[in-house]
Amino acid sequence: THHEVEAGFYIVAFAGWLLAMIAIAFFLGKKWKNIGLLCTAMDRVSRGEYAVDSRRAPDNEFGLMWLGLERMCRNLQLQKYRTDETLDYLDQYAPQNFECLFGKEKLQDIAVGETVQMAATLGMISVIDKDTLLTGKLQGQYVQYVNKLMELLFSQQESGKAVFLQDGSNLENVKVIFQGETQSARTAVRYSIDCMEELLAETEDAYDTNPFILHTDQFRCGLAGGSKQVYPYVTSMEMDTLSRYIDELKRSGARVVVTEQTWQQVQVQGRRIGYVASPDGDRIFWLYEILDACPQMQKLGKLKNNELFAKALELYYADDLYPARSAFTEVVRECPEDGIARWY
């Protein structure tokens, strides 16, 4: 009948419309899936994640966009690698943890000309032996020794709390700074003893050990320079004075020597060995030898004669030179390796 024909027509039309909608939905689903993948990948790239999953790109405009995104990510990864490599290289020339002295997060946050005063313990060790280096004796082996010594300084357990600086370009008077008013002295002494123990184990047969000198005080540090280059620095009249005695302390066999300000804050075995004066003569600095840094037999010999050494030192500074000489001679007779007593 007419109504049945009309109903059939509507059914066929609806079925055709439904099939068309399904086809359009399938087509749009594929399109939106590609758009969703692109959006997810671009969001990751915007967050600094440049690793894009490798996939077969469709042969349409979305495929071209995906290939373009992959090329862009590869270029960004290459640039990031080169940038990181350059920064790692430059970081070797910047003093590690220097920004911590200023309470900053990055070295770049310190302005040129900015200074700060702080409580700290400053250690100093002379790495280069000028006589060995300048005369060329075993120069290749000596440079290897210097590299080993610097690596040893950087590798100790306490080195993560330290800031390393140097004066000039000759590795004389390398400075190690431990910040803090109460704990810095103990940390610095422990670090110095550990360095000396390892250094003695590795190099005592080839080179004399350079002594560590430690001083606890208020120091001023800063960043000087201009727009092209900057120089971090720490100023200390006391350390400038003490640096003049490094060679004498080295010849005497001293390993770790501290000033009275450091000595008062540590609990280690040691002895007073005398004082040095500032260039103007206005200040004197009493020095103490840390015996825990000495080889075991030498340490025991010095401890055994500690009272006699103290008495000899008292006589020396009272200008009773003949009795002092006799007392020091007795110390050397009992402990021939006591270079300080031998020097007196």
Side-chain angles (χ1 to χ4, degrees), residues 6 11 29 40-41 58 73 77 108 111 126 148 160 175 182 190 207 213 239 265-266 276 280 288 290 297 302 317 325:
E6 187 176 358
I11 291 172
T40 301
C73 286
Q77 282 180 307
Q108 298 92 317
S126 179
K148 181 185 292 187
K175 294 176 180 177
T182 57
R190 182 71 260 164
Y207 302 101
I213 301 178
M239 293 305 279
Q265 298 188 43
V266 298
V276 296
D280 56 14
Y288 295 78
I290 303 299
M297 293 304 297
K302 291 180 179 180
Y317 282 108
R325 177 186 174 87

Side-chain angles (χ1 to χ4, degrees), residues 21-152:
M21 291 298 102
I22 292 173
I24 292 172
F26 179 76
F27 174 77
L28 291 176
K30 289 191 68 175
K31 292 287 187 182
W32 282 111
K33 180 181 178 182
N34 289 325
I35 291 175
L37 290 171
L38 277 171
C39 289
T40 301
M42 292 176 71
D43 180 65
R44 289 171 58 188
V45 171
S46 71
R47 298 173 187 274
E49 300 175 22
Y50 302 140
V52 175
D53 298 334
S54 205
R55 61 176 66 248
R56 184 178 179 181
D59 188 18
N60 53 29
E61 64 276 10
F62 289 106
L64 292 175
M65 292 172 66
W66 187 266
L67 290 174
L69 181 64
E70 284 186 332
R71 282 196 298 271
M72 181 180 71
C73 286
R74 282 196 296 270
N75 289 331
L76 288 171
Q77 282 180 307
L78 181 60
Q79 289 183 18
K80 184 178 185 300
Y81 171 78
R82 289 174 175 169
T83 300
D84 291 345
E85 192 177 48
T86 301
L87 290 175
D88 288 342
Y89 178 74
L90 293 176
D91 276 347
Q92 296 179 75
Y93 293 88
Q96 303 299 306
N97 302 324
F98 189 69
E99 65 278 4
C100 297
L101 303 181
F102 292 78
K104 304 290 180 71
E105 292 185 2
K106 298 182 297 183
L107 189 63
Q108 298 92 317
D109 294 335
I110 306 174
V112 176
E114 187 173 353
T115 62
V116 64
Q117 186 167 327
M118 61 183 177
T121 297
L122 183 60
M124 181 171 59
I125 182 172
S126 179
V127 175
I128 288 290
D129 184 318
K130 289 182 291 186
D131 293 337
T132 303
L133 190 63
L134 294 177
T135 57
K137 296 182 298 182
L138 305 174
Q139 195 166 55
Q141 295 178 26
Y142 181 68
V143 172
Q144 291 179 6
Y145 156 75
V146 171
N147 293 340
K148 181 185 292 187
L149 173 55
M150 294 301 296
E151 193 61 38
L152 186 149

Side-chain angles (χ1 to χ4, degrees), residues 38-303:
L38 277 171
C39 289
T40 301
M42 292 176 71
D43 180 65
R44 289 171 58 188
V45 171
S46 71
R47 298 173 187 274
E49 300 175 22
Y50 302 140
V52 175
D53 298 334
S54 205
R55 61 176 66 248
R56 184 178 179 181
D59 188 18
N60 53 29
E61 64 276 10
F62 289 106
L64 292 175
M65 292 172 66
W66 187 266
L67 290 174
L69 181 64
E70 284 186 332
R71 282 196 298 271
M72 181 180 71
C73 286
R74 282 196 296 270
N75 289 331
L76 288 171
Q77 282 180 307
L78 181 60
Q79 289 183 18
K80 184 178 185 300
Y81 171 78
R82 289 174 175 169
T83 300
D84 291 345
E85 192 177 48
T86 301
L87 290 175
D88 288 342
Y89 178 74
L90 293 176
D91 276 347
Q92 296 179 75
Y93 293 88
Q96 303 299 306
N97 302 324
F98 189 69
E99 65 278 4
C100 297
L101 303 181
F102 292 78
K104 304 290 180 71
E105 292 185 2
K106 298 182 297 183
L107 189 63
Q108 298 92 317
D109 294 335
I110 306 174
V112 176
E114 187 173 353
T115 62
V116 64
Q117 186 167 327
M118 61 183 177
T121 297
L122 183 60
M124 181 171 59
I125 182 172
S126 179
V127 175
I128 288 290
D129 184 318
K130 289 182 291 186
D131 293 337
T132 303
L133 190 63
L134 294 177
T135 57
K137 296 182 298 182
L138 305 174
Q139 195 166 55
Q141 295 178 26
Y142 181 68
V143 172
Q144 291 179 6
Y145 156 75
V146 171
N147 293 340
K148 181 185 292 187
L149 173 55
M150 294 301 296
E151 193 61 38
L152 186 149
L153 295 179
F154 299 146
S155 64
Q156 298 306 307
Q157 183 177 356
E158 303 289 355
S159 62
K161 305 174 184 177
V163 178
F164 296 87
L165 295 174
Q166 68 178 79
D167 294 335
S169 58
N170 56 9
L171 289 181
E172 283 192 271
N173 301 342
V174 173
K175 294 176 180 177
V176 187
I177 310 161
F178 290 91
Q179 190 176 13
E181 191 164 358
T182 57
Q183 294 294 329
S184 66
R186 289 188 283 272
T187 302
V189 168
R190 182 71 260 164
Y191 168 81
S192 303
I193 292 173
D194 289 345
C195 284
M196 286 300 151
E197 287 178 349
E198 189 169 341
L199 185 61
L200 283 169
E202 292 189 9
T203 63
E204 65 175 336
D205 293 335
Y207 302 101
D208 294 331
T209 303
N210 294 312
F212 249 112
I213 301 178
L214 302 174
H215 176 58
T216 303
D217 205 347
Q218 292 285 327
F219 299 97
R220 183 167 292 278
C221 66
L223 202 63
S227 59
K228 296 294 184 181
Q229 195 165 1
V230 295
Y231 300 91
Y233 66 88
V234 174
T235 60
S236 170
M237 182 194 73
E238 293 85 356
M239 293 305 279
D240 291 342
T241 298
L242 295 172
S243 67
R244 295 161 33 211
Y245 297 92
I246 282 184
D247 288 341
E248 292 180 18
L249 291 172
K250 178 179 179 178
R251 285 192 292 270
S252 72
R255 308 299 182 187
V256 178
V257 174
V258 304
T259 62
E260 189 158 20
Q261 292 91 322
T262 304
W263 174 257
Q264 290 173 352
Q265 298 188 43
V266 298
Q267 294 180 340
V268 291
Q269 292 181 306
R271 62 180 183 174
R272 179 184 282 193
I273 59 173
Y275 70 79
V276 296
S278 61
D280 56 14
D282 289 343
R283 297 186 64 185
I284 62 171
F285 308 105
W286 283 101
L287 301 181
Y288 295 78
E289 182 185 15
I290 303 299
L291 298 181
D292 288 341
C294 297
Q296 186 64 15
M297 293 304 297
Q298 187 182 123
K299 170 185 172 180
L300 293 175
K302 291 180 179 180
L303 286 173

